[in-house]
Amino acid sequence: SQTIHQWPATLVQPVGSPLSLECTVEGTSNPNLYWYRQAAGRGLQLLFYSVGIGQISSEVPQNLSASRPQDRQFILSSKKLLLSDSGFYLCAWGREILYEQYFGPGTRLTVT
Amino acid sequence: AQSVTQLDSHVSVSEGTPVLLRCNYSSSYSPSLFWYVQHPNKGLQLLLKYTSAATLVKGINGFEAEFKKSETSFHLTKPSAHMSDAAEYFCVVSGRKGGYQKVTFGIGTKLQVIP
């Protein structure tokens, strides 16, 4: 069976500090991978998705970047965090855009 | 263009009564539609999906949804609410046109179940 991991589970970082969130998937190969941000009262916002190693599409301009160094690894980064980067970050995988996604447990990021 | 509208941000029902969570969508593509549930500080779990097969879709935990193309709706229902159903529910549309792929989430509906 497939599983998806995210870490850390919670993170408190000061403004201006760097960020690295990691997501890994087990039990499948060549998945589509997604990063979402969920801010209070605003639903989920798709940040990035990837259909393969080194292939990253960004949905919205922002202070964040994503990388996919390995088939089942997806990393969300920032060089300098802003207060507005606070939120709940969810990683997900799916086999194809028309089909369901499977979500990780999420990372709660608080920027102070 | 593609969008999802969840018509109610909060729904409150008594335990044992029916649940109705409303979702309308628009899409230029041939979309797939999904409902997900999220309990506090957890990831999202798939409840059910419509992918151009039967229009009445049955999901987990007694939930079902009906795809109505003429009304562009995909409302989520359950005959009898349970306390464990209290959570936030997201309607999602996913579509592809040529090489362009897009997934759009609704803003969510918080379901409160009153004992």
Side-chain angles (χ1 to χ4, degrees):
Chain A
S1 64
Q2 300 85 12
T3 56
I4 179 168
H5 304 278
Q6 284 185 249
W7 64 89
T10 60
L11 190 60
V12 180
Q13 293 283 94
V15 168
S17 64
L19 173 73
S20 180
L21 302 182
E22 189 165 345
C23 171
T24 59
V25 180
E26 297 177 356
T28 188
S29 59
N30 196 31
N32 288 351
L33 296 172
Y34 307 85
W35 276 112
Y36 292 89
R37 178 169 58 206
Q38 187 175 29
R42 294 180 61 185
L44 270 76
Q45 180 185 34
L46 178 62
L47 301 175
F48 301 96
Y49 73 89
S50 171
V51 298
I53 295 174
Q55 301 179 61
I56 309 294
S57 296
S58 175
E59 284 291 301
V60 293
Q62 57 211 319
N63 183 43
L64 302 168
S65 62
S67 61
R68 185 171 177 173
Q70 300 180 45
D71 181 46
R72 290 169 288 178
Q73 183 185 31
F74 205 24
I75 296 172
L76 183 69
S77 304
S78 175
K79 293 182 179 178
K80 288 186 178 182
L81 283 169
L82 306 172
L83 285 174
S84 57
D85 292 324
S86 292
F88 192 48
Y89 288 82
L90 289 159
C91 181
W93 76 272
R95 291 192 177 86
E96 207 271 349
I97 192 66
L98 290 179
Y99 298 94
E100 65 271 24
Q101 297 177 23
Y102 299 92
F103 286 80
T107 295
R108 174 72 61 189
L109 172 66
T110 303
V111 182
T112 61
Chain B
Q2 183 172 281
S3 67
V4 177
T5 302
Q6 291 186 243
L7 296 160
D8 307 293
S9 59
H10 290 83
V11 170
S12 183
V13 301
S14 297
E15 188 177 17
T17 64
V19 176
L20 170 63
L21 306 182
R22 298 183 293 168
C23 174
N24 286 99
Y25 73 95
S26 68
S27 180
S28 302
Y29 323 128
S30 296
S32 296
L33 293 157
F34 310 88
W35 276 99
Y36 290 84
V37 61
Q38 185 183 30
H39 290 90
N41 295 309
K42 301 292 185 183
L44 277 70
Q45 180 185 19
L46 179 70
L47 275 180
L48 50 78
K49 60 183 179 181
Y50 167 78
T51 55
S52 74
T55 56
L56 181 61
V57 180
K58 293 187 183 299
I60 62 171
N61 300 336
F63 284 95
E64 62 182 40
E66 186 171 6
F67 174 70
K68 293 186 176 180
K69 188 174 182 178
S70 61
E71 298 177 10
T72 60
S73 69
F74 191 57
H75 301 334
L76 182 70
T77 61
K78 182 173 181 177
S80 176
H82 191 273
M83 293 300 296
S84 61
D85 295 328
E88 190 159 20
Y89 293 80
F90 293 93
C91 181
V92 180
V93 58
S94 185
R96 180 178 58 198
K97 183 176 183 181
Y100 183 76
Q101 303 177 339
K102 189 170 179 66
V103 58
T104 306
F105 279 71
I107 63 169
T109 298
K110 289 187 178 178
L111 176 64
Q112 180 186 22
V113 182
I114 302 168

